[in-house]
Amino acid sequence: MRAAVGWPMWGLDDQEAMAMRVMVVGNSDGIGRALTQRLLARGDEVVGISRSPWPGEEAEAYTHFQLDVTADDYVERLVDIVAQWGAPQVVVYCAGIGELLVLEELAVQRRVFEVNLMGAVATLEVTLPPMLSAGQGHFVGLSSLADTGLSPQAPSYNASKAAMSRYLESMALAVADKGVSITNVRFGFVDTKMAKSDVRPMMFTVEQAVDRLMKIIDARRPPRRVTTPLPMAALVSLLSALMWLKLMI
Ligand SMILES: NC(=O)c1ccc[n+]([C@@H]2O[C@H](COP(=O)([O-])OP(=O)(O)OC[C@H]3O[C@@H](n4cnc5c(N)ncnc54)[C@H](OP(=O)(O)O)[C@@H]3O)[C@@H](O)[C@H]2O)c1
């Protein structure tokens, strides 16, 4: 168990390292839930955000806020949380939805943008300034390999992830010399309720996804873009090229 909250000291083992203050947005299920559990198990202090209550055990080092990232008062509430709980050293934006296209229900497609894209933009708006003031901090966003392609089945998912990836990666370059890191994570399939497709090649277990995230969080020099698994990225690029070709003819 880590002793006190502070900045990580690389080279120390888990017993000696300082606990971190981590915010996980979208953590009542899937990757965010497993990541929260892993962080708590090693002694980090975590605040979680989702619409549902925290489904795990209560813990002294854990605080949960039931918030919808698309709510009108989300930014205001997040500002209060940061003021009350303290500025997080690491923020991981896991909130996301993916909805198949029903042409009679385009409002559902709009909601996908609101959660996947605008929720991340709003979270960065609130959590980046304290990191910049401190000259340190790390924002991790879960985008997707889907950010490269076109999808007639779920247009808003791919488009929202494309915008999220470009925004996070541009912001990563913008803050590069300010001591703050931004990482855009592009997973393929991960075994959660989100992965709805009948065919799910090279799928990660949730624990494999969390292993990658923990490495990113603990990295001395966090990467700006993580794409994994690479063979899946190659397959997605190939399928995307075919789709782009279809668009031309
Ligand atoms: N699973 C995959 O195959 C895969 C692959 C690549 C990338 N990703 C990305 O990884 C992230 C996590 O995915 P996952 O597979 O863990 O999905 P998941 O199991 O469906 O979990 C999604 C989380 O987002 C939260 N959430 C959804 N809408 C929200 C809202 N309006 N406000 C606050 N929280 C909200 C949900 O909590 P509540 O419902 O309680 O609000 C839930 O905790 C997503 O961004 C996803 O696009 C997933």
Side-chain angles (χ1 to χ4, degrees):
M1 183 63 74
R2 295 172 161 198
V5 173
W7 282 94
M9 298 170 74
W10 291 279
L12 300 180
D13 65 23
D14 249 19
Q15 298 290 323
E16 299 163 307
M18 300 285 259
M20 282 192 287
R21 192 190 294 271
V22 186
M23 174 182 281
V24 186
V25 182
N27 77 332
S28 63
D29 205 354
I31 301 168
R33 175 180 177 175
L35 175 67
T36 300
Q37 279 163 334
R38 188 82 72 87
L39 291 164
L40 288 171
R42 75 171 188 183
D44 288 326
E45 195 181 312
V46 184
V47 67
I49 292 174
S50 65
R51 289 168 305 170
S52 316
W54 170 239
E57 284 178 19
E58 282 185 25
E60 203 182 319
Y62 183 70
T63 312
H64 192 80
F65 293 91
Q66 278 184 253
L67 280 184
D68 185 333
V69 299
T70 69
D72 288 344
D73 63 350
Y74 175 62
V75 164
E76 203 181 316
R77 302 264 318 263
L78 201 54
V79 167
D80 286 347
I81 290 168
V82 169
Q84 178 191 326
W85 184 68
Q89 292 156 321
V90 180
V91 176
V92 187
Y93 190 83
C94 302
I97 55 172
E99 299 294 343
L100 292 174
L101 176 65
V102 177
L103 286 172
E104 294 73 27
E105 294 171 13
L106 289 183
V108 175
Q109 298 295 308
R110 170 162 50 88
R111 182 153 178 88
V112 175
F113 283 96
E114 286 168 357
V115 178
N116 296 2
L117 178 61
M118 296 316 294
V121 171
T123 305
L124 192 64
E125 178 187 330
V126 176
T127 57
L128 188 60
M131 290 182 187
L132 291 172
S133 299
Q136 50 195 0
H138 188 185
F139 187 99
V140 181
L142 268 58
S143 183
S144 165
L145 287 182
D147 67 356
T148 51
L150 301 173
S151 170
Q153 294 79 27
S156 55
Y157 188 74
N158 288 37
S160 62
K161 293 299 186 183
M164 180 186 188
S165 289
R166 297 299 83 76
Y167 185 60
L168 290 183
E169 290 168 4
S170 301
M171 289 296 291
L173 294 176
V175 300
D177 61 350
K178 301 188 188 314
V180 174
S181 303
I182 297 179
T183 305
N184 182 37
V185 180
R186 304 168 68 239
F187 285 135
F189 287 110
V190 181
D191 192 8
T192 70
K193 71 175 186 310
M194 162 82 68
K196 289 170 186 154
S197 168
D198 293 337
V199 188
R200 293 171 292 174
M202 299 175 237
M203 185 160 70
F204 273 2
T205 63
V206 175
E207 290 309 316
Q208 282 174 310
V210 172
D211 287 345
R212 287 309 306 262
L213 289 175
M214 295 299 284
K215 277 201 184 124
I216 293 164
I217 289 170
D218 288 341
R220 184 194 289 262
R221 286 192 179 173
R224 295 186 188 131
R225 168 192 273 217
V226 173
T227 298
T228 186
L230 285 175
M232 184 63 191
L235 181 62
V236 170
S237 296
L238 183 68
L239 294 173
S240 300
L242 293 174
M243 198 63 84
W244 286 110
L245 205 61
K246 207 172 165 186
L247 199 64
M248 305 297 172
I249 51 177

